[in-house]
Amino acid sequence: QVQLVESGGGLVQAGGSLTLSCAASGTIFDANMMGWYREAPGKQRELVGTINSAGIRYVSDSVKGRFTIARENAENTLYLQMNSLKPEDTAVYYCLLQQPGGTYWGQGTQVTVSS
């Protein structure tokens, strides 16, 4: 089993920055993919970005140039550095870990960007 715990969400003004963290624990294989999704009220959950254990990244067009995804393999920790935040970035952000045998989600952390 794998447990994911997000932290770092909160309220920020437009143009501000936040860094989210996701700590993974349990049985984690060397080859895995971690990522961030977000879900805004009334909208479907959407992919923000992913990074695999080799460091290959993908970031969605909606956040490209503003958000950076990174991970620390030794600590099984995933990060999302969010800059130039906009009100439309307001959502619950979820951490994901995908590996042979399963896909796991965190409980989510709220990010609210005020205008």
Side-chain angles (χ1 to χ4, degrees):
Q1 271 289 17
V2 174
Q3 295 79 41
L4 302 172
V5 179
E6 301 102 332
S7 60
L11 173 64
V12 64
Q13 288 189 331
S17 298
L18 279 176
T19 300
L20 305 184
S21 300
C22 173
S25 61
T27 303
I28 300 169
F29 301 134
D30 288 343
N32 63 68
M33 187 272 290
M34 298 186 76
W36 291 98
Y37 279 73
R38 66 184 182 184
E39 187 171 331
K43 295 187 177 181
Q44 287 189 327
R45 192 172 295 190
E46 66 168 346
L47 175 64
V48 175
T50 60
I51 181 168
N52 66 13
S53 46
I56 298 172
R57 295 174 174 84
Y58 166 81
V59 178
S60 70
D61 288 342
S62 61
V63 303
K64 193 169 291 183
R66 300 187 297 121
F67 290 12
T68 302
I69 190 167
R71 64 186 288 167
E72 175 56 62
N73 287 338
E75 300 293 329
N76 290 318
T77 302
L78 177 71
Y79 302 96
L80 183 67
Q81 174 66 45
M82 305 184 291
N83 298 325
S84 302
L85 283 161
K86 305 175 181 179
E88 51 264 44
D89 294 319
T90 295
V92 177
Y93 284 71
Y94 296 91
C95 174
L96 165 83
L97 186 146
Q98 199 169 55
Q99 65 182 10
T103 299
Y104 305 91
W105 293 89
Q107 81 288 350
T109 186
Q110 177 70 46
V111 172
T112 303
V113 184
S114 63
S115 56

